[in-house]
Amino acid sequence: MSLSEKSEVMMSSMYMTYTWVDPRFSWNESKYDGILVTRISVDRIWVPNIIIKNSKERNLKESLRVNALVFHNGSVQWLPPAIYKTSCTMDVTLFPFDWQNCSMVFRSADHDQSEMIFGLSYGSSIWVDKHVYIKNGEWVLYQKPAYVVEKKSDEQFQEVWFTVILCRKPQFYVLNMLLPCVMISILSCFVFHLPVVAGEKIGLSISLLLGDTIFVFLFAQRMPSTALTVPHVATYLLFSMILLFLSIFCCVVVYNFHFRSNVTHEMPRVWKWLFFDKFAPLLGLQQPHRKEKVQSNKFAETSSSRNDFIAKTISQNYMMQKSPSEQMYLTQAPLYGFRSRQKRLVDINGGLSAIPIAIKPVSESVKTALRETENVTAHFKKIKAQRRARHDWIYFAFILDRLLMWLYMFAFVVGSLSFVVLVATENYPENIVAAENDMKDL
């Protein structure tokens, strides 16, 4: 017994057992040397014209018309071998963890219930001879009920249904199709962990997407084109393909932010506050030069207070070097509108305001050198600002990449667990465990 899910055909090789009573064939065995049974060609006696209703072939009858066994009491038994190809509507929702319910429907082509009544010789189940039964490598026979179908609306209607419940062995599909797809999805999570400067993030994502597409194509080759349901595994593979597509889109966005600068884009303060102050500590990230910036600010505050102390000390020493009359003039002259005779001072670092400058005027060459120095200093400050802005964009892209990685992993884990829950909580046939234990002896 085998089942092709692509063509939705079940092929069964079996022996059909027909038993009926014909009083014309009865004899007294004592008059015929104790003969109890004889064999007669079915072409010379009446046999029931039984056809299979849901056959996929033109031949609706038995494959070989063997001789019939005629017993002395008038009972006739006919066991013709047959190979049937019957239609079986596939439900591939749980592929490859699915089971299929297939039936073979037999009815009489010449007689109705008023002329011939069907019965089951082996009870309400198909009899399986464990010495003849050959196990299938893909399907396991779990249940095999048999019953006679009658209609209350039509008293002449009668059919015999032989039903088999087959469960698929999923090991082949799990190891060769499903597990590689899961591994590809897991590997796609590390696309975000790959540095942008490596230049292979998009290439790796596209390669994984192509690999996943190949496995989707392999699954499509196994599925019937007329299936009424969508397999959960196909939904999961489509979900993984969507994740891979989103990973490519996210990589493009990260690349765009990574290579920005303050020449073309200015980072909003909200982004800095959200990513640098909120997301970075939450993700356990810290930009190295920001630590140095905090330390340099502390050092600058210490240096400024120290310079102010030095300036005050120098000013006090300068005032103490003057005579008492000079010191009094310097302090009282501004109050009476006199010009101060103090030398012009210059600010150094915002606090050294009491150091006198040279008396002679500065030459033009010195002024030119000072202007050039200021221009060079401004240029280097501009370069430093651009470099810092460039580093801010790189750090922003790094934080965004790490955030997308955790979101991607969360979506992958939730999707995988949902697939497992859907498969585990599906309704399986009743008494399937007991039937499985009964079939272990076959």
Side-chain angles (χ1 to χ4, degrees):
M1 184 175 293
S2 62
L3 183 62
S4 174
E5 61 270 15
K6 185 66 177 178
S7 56
E8 296 185 311
V9 173
M10 182 182 68
M11 187 176 67
S12 307
S13 177
M14 64 183 69
Y15 284 91
M16 299 297 299
T17 303
Y18 299 102
T19 303
W20 68 95
V21 177
D22 192 341
R24 297 175 298 175
F25 293 147
S26 60
W27 70 87
N28 189 353
E29 69 274 10
S30 61
K31 294 182 180 181
Y32 297 96
D33 299 330
I35 297 176
L36 301 177
V37 61
T38 185
R39 291 170 174 82
I40 303 176
S41 174
V42 294
D43 295 331
R44 301 178 60 185
I45 64 174
W46 176 90
V47 293
N49 188 13
I50 306 297
I51 61 173
I52 185 167
K53 184 178 178 180
N54 58 338
S55 177
K56 285 290 223 179
E57 295 182 328
R58 294 182 179 180
N59 185 18
L60 305 179
K61 296 185 178 181
E62 300 79 15
S63 302
L64 182 63
R65 296 175 65 85
V66 298
N67 294 333
L69 298 176
V70 180
F71 294 88
H72 69 283
N73 57 358
S75 63
V76 183
Q77 190 177 42
W78 185 34
L79 286 81
I83 298 177
Y84 293 116
K85 290 184 178 181
T86 55
S87 61
C88 179
T89 303
M90 303 290 294
D91 184 3
V92 292
T93 304
L94 295 177
F95 178 87
F97 308 97
D98 57 329
W99 73 91
Q100 302 300 331
N101 190 334
C102 301
S103 299
M104 294 176 288
V105 183
F106 294 89
R107 63 178 304 175
S108 175
D110 302 327
H111 306 281
D112 55 19
Q113 189 176 2
S114 62
E115 298 173 337
M116 185 174 62
I117 300 176
F118 286 118
L120 299 174
S121 301
Y122 299 103
S124 60
S125 178
I126 302 174
W127 182 70
V128 179
D129 188 355
K130 63 181 181 180
H131 300 290
V132 181
Y133 177 74
I134 300 176
K135 295 182 179 180
N136 186 272
E138 184 177 358
W139 297 94
V140 177
L141 180 61
Y142 272 159
Q143 297 182 22
K144 47 191 186 311
Y147 43 91
V148 179
V149 178
E150 298 178 355
K151 288 184 178 180
K152 294 182 180 181
S153 59
D154 187 1
E155 296 181 356
Q156 306 303 323
F157 179 84
Q158 193 177 30
E159 291 179 347
V160 178
W161 285 54
F162 295 101
T163 304
V164 291
I165 296 179
L166 303 173
C167 187
R168 192 192 304 269
K169 297 178 181 179
Q171 290 83 357
F172 172 80
Y173 299 97
V174 170
L175 294 178
N176 295 279
M177 293 185 181
L178 188 58
L179 186 60
C181 292
V182 175
M183 295 177 64
I184 289 176
S185 300
I186 294 175
L187 188 60
S188 64
C189 298
F190 294 93
V191 171
F192 299 94
H193 197 67
L194 190 66
V196 177
V197 293
E200 297 294 335
K201 295 172 71 70
I202 298 179
L204 179 59
S205 299
I206 294 177
S207 300
L208 295 176
L209 181 60
L210 291 177
D212 195 70
T213 305
I214 292 175
F215 285 103
V216 171
F217 176 75
L218 293 177
F219 273 104
Q221 293 297 313
R222 304 288 300 184
M223 295 295 100
S225 57
T226 59
L228 301 178
T229 57
V230 178
H232 291 326
V233 65
T235 306
Y236 177 74
L237 292 178
L238 181 62
F239 169 74
S240 64
M241 288 186 65
I242 293 175
L243 286 181
L244 287 171
F245 173 78
L246 291 177
S247 69
I248 296 176
F249 175 77
C250 293
C251 289
V252 173
V253 174
V254 170
Y255 269 105
N256 182 274
F257 283 115
H258 180 84
F259 291 102
R260 285 187 180 186
S261 63
N262 63 342
V263 179
T264 57
H265 299 84
E266 183 178 358
M267 186 181 299
R269 294 182 179 180
V270 178
W271 289 12
K272 291 183 179 181
W273 172 80
L274 185 62
F275 281 84
F276 295 166
D277 299 335
K278 299 299 180 181
F279 287 158
L282 185 63
L283 298 174
L285 304 177
Q286 180 64 43
Q287 194 173 12
H289 83 269
R290 289 188 172 272
K291 294 182 179 179
E292 297 176 358
K293 183 177 180 180
V294 174
Q295 295 177 358
S296 62
N297 290 336
K298 293 181 179 180
F299 178 76
E301 292 177 358
T302 306
S303 301
S304 177
S305 60
R306 186 181 303 169
N307 292 335
D308 292 339
F309 176 75
I310 294 174
K312 292 179 180 179
T313 304
I314 294 176
S315 178
Q316 292 176 1
N317 293 335
Y318 174 77
M319 294 294 294
M320 291 177 64
Q321 292 177 1
K322 298 290 183 178
S323 61
S325 59
E326 185 70 18
Q327 294 179 8
M328 180 179 295
Y329 178 81
L330 290 176
T331 55
Q332 298 296 327
L335 299 177
Y336 296 97
F338 294 102
R339 291 186 59 185
S340 176
R341 294 182 299 184
Q342 186 180 0
K343 298 179 181 179
R344 190 161 54 92
L345 304 177
V346 67
D347 293 335
I348 301 176
N349 293 330
L352 300 178
S353 58
I355 300 177
I357 62 174
I359 298 176
K360 294 183 179 180
V362 181
S363 62
E364 292 296 329
S365 61
V366 175
K367 292 181 180 181
T368 304
L370 290 175
R371 286 195 296 268
E372 294 295 333
T373 303
E374 291 177 355
N375 294 334
V376 172
T377 303
H379 176 70
F380 278 105
K381 286 183 178 180
K382 183 179 179 181
I383 293 178
K384 187 176 181 180
Q386 292 178 353
R387 187 179 302 171
R388 177 155 298 182
R390 179 78 179 88
H391 289 170
D392 287 342
W393 281 115
I394 294 175
Y395 187 52
F396 178 85
F398 178 67
I399 297 174
L400 180 62
D401 202 14
R402 187 61 57 88
L403 180 63
L404 292 174
M405 182 186 73
W406 285 110
L407 293 177
Y408 186 93
M409 293 181 66
F410 175 77
F412 167 71
V413 172
V414 171
S416 301
L417 291 179
S418 301
F419 170 72
V420 173
V421 171
L422 284 176
V423 174
T425 58
E426 193 69 28
N427 294 325
Y428 286 86
E430 297 180 359
N431 301 325
I432 194 169
V433 177
E436 181 180 1
N437 295 329
D438 295 338
M439 295 304 297
K440 287 182 179 179
D441 298 333
L442 295 179

